[in-house]
Amino acid sequence: MVTNFWLLWPVLVFGGCVAGQGVRGVSTPGLSDADTPFLLPITAADSVKITGALSADGAVAVAFAYGNRMQILAAELELAGAERAEYGRIDDPVLGGKLGRSPHGSALEVEIHQEVSQFILRPARTLLGDAEFAAARERISGRARAEAMAVRIAYYDVLRKYIDTATLRLLVESVEAAFALAQTLHEAGNISELELATRQESFESARLELARSESAAAAQRELLNALMGVWGHDTQWTLPDHLPSLPEEKFDLVDLEARAVANRADLHVAKFEQEASGRALAIAHTERWIGGMELGLSAEREEGAWTFGPSFAVRLPLFSGTDVQRRRADYLRAQQALAVQAVEIRAEVRAARERLLAARERVEHYRDVLLPLKQRIVRLVQREYNFMLSSPFDLLDARRAEIAAQREHISALGDYWIARVQLQAAIGEKLASTTGEN
């Protein structure tokens, strides 16, 4: 089955162009081969195969190949192209007639007329259709990018949960060993009932937390399956055993804001909507005076003789001023909406950048300070234990604290990659990365 979602790739790549987008070989009203670069239709089975551990980019590729949401957006793009073609359509001429009787016999009148104002306004309406289509295309592009962002966030979240679950199993093993040691010492009469109960409570709590973690990871995996649009044996994909490390990066806030203003689909939508509102206002001004203007040919037969002549009709602009007022108000609204959108986008970029930098600082603090400190404490306790200066419980507790710090580091690293995806969505394009992950 050929997947029409490939119509969306030129939308994402060439989202700033005004011309329509389509795929050669796909009949789409309002879209032509000249509007888009050549793209071969590709079947999902041949184009996307999950081999090895699934990556974030791979998850997005699978979602675009298999996801029904992409098919819906492709259909909406075709519908927007068909609606665009309607703006340049000319109504068919109207044929009418009248049959009557007079004292001199029967009378027949035939008339054909055409609204000529449509020909006058057709170029302006075509440009209005282009602006409306461009806004619809950018709106669809934004929704496609939002789908890609949702897939990436779900991917990093499920990866974080799976790695955290694996780390939590180490913690369960540690507290289980402490509980087993406590049972042995209690049977020998070396520790109290309270100490045994405390160790058992730690073990049972850790087991319960592990069960919750496994359930949350499985649920998040199914969410990612749904976003990718896969089922059956296609859900048997695997994940890497670690999150990507921190990339080397420096962000210029001014540069990010400028990139967002240049790339954001929703801002492009607002710009095209303003353009469409302005063109609709100009058409309303012109149509008020020439709208409904009709020319035609009239033929009348009376007393056996035919007479021919031109006919015309003009609509008197007595009650049509309200449409101009409405279009003017809509144009002013579109102007203000564009200004508001630009301000909100800049604020969104600044907020996303701060979240990313804060997440990065947390990851670096765990990586450079807390984790080495926890590892050093384990080594020191191990040394004291070797000289019988610390109990085995001290060593197990130190190891437990180290594993807990590892879990916090995993959580912070997952937060970082999710914040990175959100910043990419805020600026409307990928960020450069030195790790191969985007």
Side-chain angles (χ1 to χ4, degrees), residues 227-394:
L227 290 173
M228 292 193 299
V230 296
W231 55 281
H233 69 277
D234 289 328
T235 63
Q236 304 304 310
W237 40 268
T238 60
L239 288 167
D241 57 3
H242 64 279
L243 282 160
S245 58
L246 285 180
E248 296 296 331
E249 58 195 4
K250 291 183 179 180
F251 298 126
D252 184 347
L253 182 57
V254 177
D255 177 62
L256 290 180
E257 290 186 25
R259 290 161 67 182
V261 171
N263 296 323
R264 281 285 290 266
D266 49 354
L267 188 60
H268 292 167
V269 170
K271 290 178 179 178
F272 286 123
E273 286 181 344
Q274 180 191 14
E275 178 186 346
S277 297
R279 295 190 181 281
L281 175 59
I283 291 173
H285 272 295
T286 306
E287 194 172 28
R288 181 182 181 186
W289 300 104
I290 68 171
M293 182 186 296
E294 298 180 358
L295 294 178
L297 178 66
S298 177
E300 184 176 355
R301 182 179 183 274
E302 189 172 0
E303 297 182 359
W306 284 95
T307 58
F308 299 89
S311 65
F312 71 93
V314 177
R315 186 176 64 196
L316 299 179
L318 300 179
F319 310 106
S320 58
T322 55
D323 186 55
V324 174
Q325 295 175 354
R326 181 171 62 84
R327 295 294 184 182
R328 182 181 294 111
D330 185 61
Y331 178 66
L332 294 176
R333 178 206 60 79
Q335 281 185 317
Q336 297 304 316
L338 176 60
V340 169
Q341 189 73 27
V343 172
E344 290 180 347
I345 284 175
R346 290 179 179 274
E348 182 181 346
V349 170
R350 291 193 298 269
R353 176 181 178 273
E354 291 306 314
R355 285 196 299 270
L356 182 66
L357 294 179
R360 185 182 183 89
E361 288 179 1
R362 290 196 301 273
V363 174
E364 290 175 338
H365 190 70
Y366 275 107
R367 182 193 63 189
D368 301 335
V369 179
L370 285 179
L371 281 178
L373 184 59
K374 295 292 184 181
Q375 293 166 358
R376 180 168 176 263
I377 290 173
V378 170
R379 290 195 300 270
L380 292 175
V381 174
Q382 178 72 54
R383 182 186 302 172
E384 290 191 356
Y385 174 73
N386 292 339
F387 288 100
M388 298 184 180
L389 299 176
S390 296
S391 70
F393 292 120
D394 294 332

Side-chain angles (χ1 to χ4, degrees), residues 28-98:
T28 306
L31 304 179
S32 67
D33 292 340
D35 287 334
T36 177
F38 178 75
L39 291 175
L40 288 175
I42 303 175
T43 61
D46 293 336
S47 62
V48 177
K49 294 181 179 179
I50 304 176
T51 57
L54 183 67
S55 66
D57 287 339
V60 173
V62 171
F64 270 74
Y66 291 91
N68 291 332
R69 291 179 176 87
M70 297 301 109
Q71 299 284 353
I72 293 172
L73 295 183
E76 290 181 4
L77 182 62
E78 293 193 40
L79 178 60
E83 292 174 347
R84 175 197 192 187
E86 287 294 310
Y87 282 90
R89 186 177 61 84
I90 301 296
D91 291 339
D92 295 325
V94 177
L95 177 67
K98 182 172 64 176

